[in-house]
Every structure is written in structure tokens, then in C-alpha cells.
Amino acid sequence: TTNEQRWQTCRSIIIEMGDYQYTSRKATNSRLPPEVNRILYVRNLPFKITAEELYDMFGKYGAVYQIRLGDERDTRGTAFVTYEDIYDAKSAVDHLSGFNVGGRYLV
């Protein structure tokens, strides 16, 4: 099968990795596309979530280097989560995509 056919059979995730909307495969041994990086852009967070709660949630999947939580009117409900390792970022995407946080599903 071609790469395009393989990508069509994948389930989509809803956390963006860097500037590239990454489509995750259920297989754990698949290669990461070169555009994937260790920075996740997370949307649809509850407005009252704290950075500590995000560290607890995302820290389960690897060492978190930094979290930047949107606090302005137009950035509330968003965060950038930076991991030390790209594979930890991928693991977080695979596990937290669509995760319910405070009655909202992570996008």
C-alpha cells in the first residue's frame, strides 16, 4: 500500500503538534513524520484550568519542559505544552486526544 492509503486508514487526533496537524496511527512502532515536533498546541481547555493541573495531566506521558497557558480573552482555553522528548509528545497526543477535561474534550 502507498503512504497515502496508509494515512487514509488512520484515525485523526485533535491535538496539533507544532505547525502540522498530525494524524496518529494505532501502531506504536510507526515512524514520526519529520514535521512533528515536541510542542503541542492544545485547544478547548476549560477556562479555569491551572498550569499545575496541565502539568499533572501531561506529565504522565513524559518530562514537560514548559507549559504556556492562554490567559487573554482571545487565547483562553488554549495552551502550548513543550516536552523534553518528541516521543513523549507523541505519547501524550495518542493518549489525550479527545480526553474529557472539565466537561470539555481536548482539541
Side-chain angles (χ1 to χ4, degrees):
T1 61
T2 67
N3 282 342
E4 191 171 304
Q5 289 170 326
R6 280 188 235 140
W7 285 109
Q8 289 174 353
T9 62
C10 299
R11 62 177 175 84
S12 292
I13 63 165
I14 50 179
I15 298 175
E16 294 179 10
M17 298 184 79
D19 295 330
Y20 179 77
Q21 179 91 22
Y22 176 66
T23 304
S24 174
R25 299 206 303 176
K26 291 184 180 183
T28 57
N29 60 355
S30 62
R31 279 192 184 175
L32 296 174
E35 298 88 354
V36 174
N37 62 40
R38 60 194 182 102
I39 302 171
L40 308 181
Y41 177 61
V42 184
R43 298 178 299 189
N44 204 34
L45 290 165
F47 289 168
K48 295 185 186 244
I49 197 164
T50 65
E52 291 78 23
E53 291 171 317
L54 287 176
Y55 272 108
D56 289 342
M57 183 174 19
F58 285 90
K60 294 176 183 175
Y61 304 101
V64 175
Y65 177 74
Q66 180 183 58
I67 290 181
R68 292 187 153 208
L69 188 59
D71 57 1
E72 298 294 321
R73 179 181 170 107
D74 58 339
T75 60
R76 278 185 292 176
T78 65
F80 286 97
V81 179
T82 306
Y83 278 91
E84 297 280 343
D85 184 76
I86 191 170
Y87 292 99
D88 294 339
K90 181 187 181 310
S91 177
V93 168
D94 290 343
H95 289 93
L96 293 176
S97 177
F99 188 73
N100 188 329
V101 179
R104 302 181 80 160
Y105 293 95
L106 296 183
V107 175

